[in-house]
Amino acid sequence: MGRITTRRAVTKVAVGVGAARKVDTLAVEEPLEIRVSGSPLAVTMRTPGHDVELAAGFLVSEGVISRGEQFASAIHCGGPGTGGELNQYNVLDVTLAPGVAPPAVGVTRNFYTTSSCGMCGKASIDAVETVSSHDVSSDPVDVDARELAAYPDRLREQQAVFDKTGGLHAAALFDVATGELLVLREDVGRHNAVDKVIGWAVLHDRLPLRGTVLQVSGRASFELVQKAVMAGIPVLAAVSAPSSLAVELADRAGLTLVGFLRGETMNVYTRPERIRVESPAPIG
């Protein structure tokens, strides 16, 4: 089934019924080392696939690049000491465009990340909050609440790997003006799914992503807000809760943050004037 999913024998237990052996489909999780011009930069646990997008999006999130033309190329290579051994496609070397400064890794930042938390290596909040090249606060985007309410279902309909495994996060980018779902990516890590979406925009030279909504399948963490701001995305919507720090950053940056987007209801935590409703009357 490829490297995105794998099959494993399990014992299924039903209380009061018994136990039986079956084969289950699992989402693959493997490390990816990202290098820039041969120098190791980061290791993240991810679902293989769209690795170049993942690396490009990661570089945007970390403030290394802010435009598509700053990303030149990327190639998979063998890991340290592999020599002529089989390439496992778990090391990706990125080349930046001429004149683009390489990333400067300070002592306060450990670039090891996991599939559940992309910011666990940050030494402090002060080291996390990167200054974006794009101003999301000035984006005049205007989103119809009914259209926004349909985004989670549209995302879910296209989660092909989730249907097989039940074990992946998803992120999708919507064009507000046309209603088009521009791109959807799945990954074991919610931050990786978002980086893959942003990386798609890098490779298609579409940054900043003005007039778009980033829809995510889980909660809205600080790091997801930061990634949206770094890519110039003015609206982030999540089906679950945001964290307090996510709301604080969204408020400072001028990003519209929507949480608990389920059915026809939602909580708009920041910049609510961007969400167009039929009646301005308060609910309840």
Side-chain angles (χ1 to χ4, degrees), residues 261-281:
L261 179 54
R262 302 170 182 175
E264 295 187 344
T265 63
M266 64 195 78
N267 291 347
V268 185
Y269 293 87
T270 57
R271 296 293 298 269
E273 71 274 10
R274 284 182 172 143
I275 309 302
R276 187 170 68 256
V277 296
E278 293 179 356
S279 172

Side-chain angles (χ1 to χ4, degrees), residues 132-139 208 210 229 232-234 253-254 271 274:
S132 176
S133 297
H134 311 300
D135 179 18
V136 299
S137 66
S138 64
D139 195 317
R210 295 176 66 82
V229 171
I233 301 170
R271 296 293 298 269
R274 284 182 172 143

Side-chain angles (χ1 to χ4, degrees), residues 27 52 64-65 75 104 106 108-109 124 133 136 139 144 150 161 176 200 202 209 211-212 222 231 241 244 252 259:
V52 176
V64 178
I65 62 174
I75 186 172
T108 60
R109 178 68 158 99
S124 68
S133 297
V136 299
D139 195 317
D144 182 88
V161 184
V176 173
W200 171 89
V202 171
L209 286 165
T212 62
F222 173 91
S244 63
R252 288 198 300 270

Side-chain angles (χ1 to χ4, degrees), residues 23-248:
V23 176
D24 193 22
T25 301
L26 306 176
V28 170
E29 181 177 28
E30 292 182 0
L32 176 69
E33 179 181 331
I34 301 172
R35 300 176 181 174
V36 176
S37 298
S39 298
L41 174 65
V43 176
T44 186
M45 301 302 296
R46 97 301 189 194
T47 300
H50 304 289
D51 288 343
V52 176
E53 292 178 350
L54 173 57
F58 180 83
L59 292 175
V60 171
S61 297
E62 295 299 327
V64 178
I65 62 174
S66 59
R67 300 279 183 177
E69 64 265 22
Q70 295 174 321
F71 186 94
S73 63
I75 186 172
H76 282 98
C77 55
T82 59
E85 294 179 15
L86 181 65
N87 190 343
Q88 296 298 313
Y89 298 97
N90 284 333
V91 178
L92 188 74
D93 196 5
V94 174
T95 300
L96 302 178
V100 179
V105 182
V107 294
T108 60
R109 178 68 158 99
N110 173 4
F111 273 104
Y112 173 77
T113 66
T114 72
S115 59
S116 60
C117 176
M119 294 297 183
C120 294
K122 296 288 189 174
S124 68
I125 294 302
D126 291 340
V128 173
E129 198 170 314
T130 310
V131 178
S132 176
S133 297
H134 311 300
D135 179 18
V136 299
S137 66
S138 64
D139 195 317
V141 65
D142 181 32
V143 188
D144 182 88
R146 287 190 178 276
E147 293 184 8
L148 183 62
Y151 287 173
D153 286 341
R154 293 178 63 187
L155 178 148
R156 179 67 184 84
E157 288 170 0
Q158 296 197 36
Q159 282 190 259
V161 184
F162 181 89
D163 287 338
K164 298 175 183 177
T165 67
L168 292 182
H169 295 281
L173 191 69
F174 290 89
D175 185 308
V176 173
T178 65
E180 180 185 2
L181 195 166
L182 299 173
V183 60
L184 181 146
R185 295 291 181 259
E186 295 179 282
D187 200 278
V188 287
R190 60 174 59 86
H191 64 286
N192 286 338
V194 171
D195 275 341
K196 288 177 178 180
V197 165
I198 295 172
W200 171 89
V202 171
L203 299 183
H204 288 80
D205 200 17
R206 297 187 65 145
L207 294 183
L209 286 165
R210 295 176 66 82
T212 62
V213 174
L214 177 64
Q215 176 69 54
V216 297
S217 61
R219 61 184 178 86
S221 63
F222 173 91
E223 62 170 346
L224 296 195
V225 172
Q226 185 199 24
K227 289 177 185 297
V229 171
M230 294 299 290
I233 301 170
V235 182
L236 170 61
V239 299
S240 194
S243 68
S244 63
L245 203 57
V247 175
E248 290 175 20

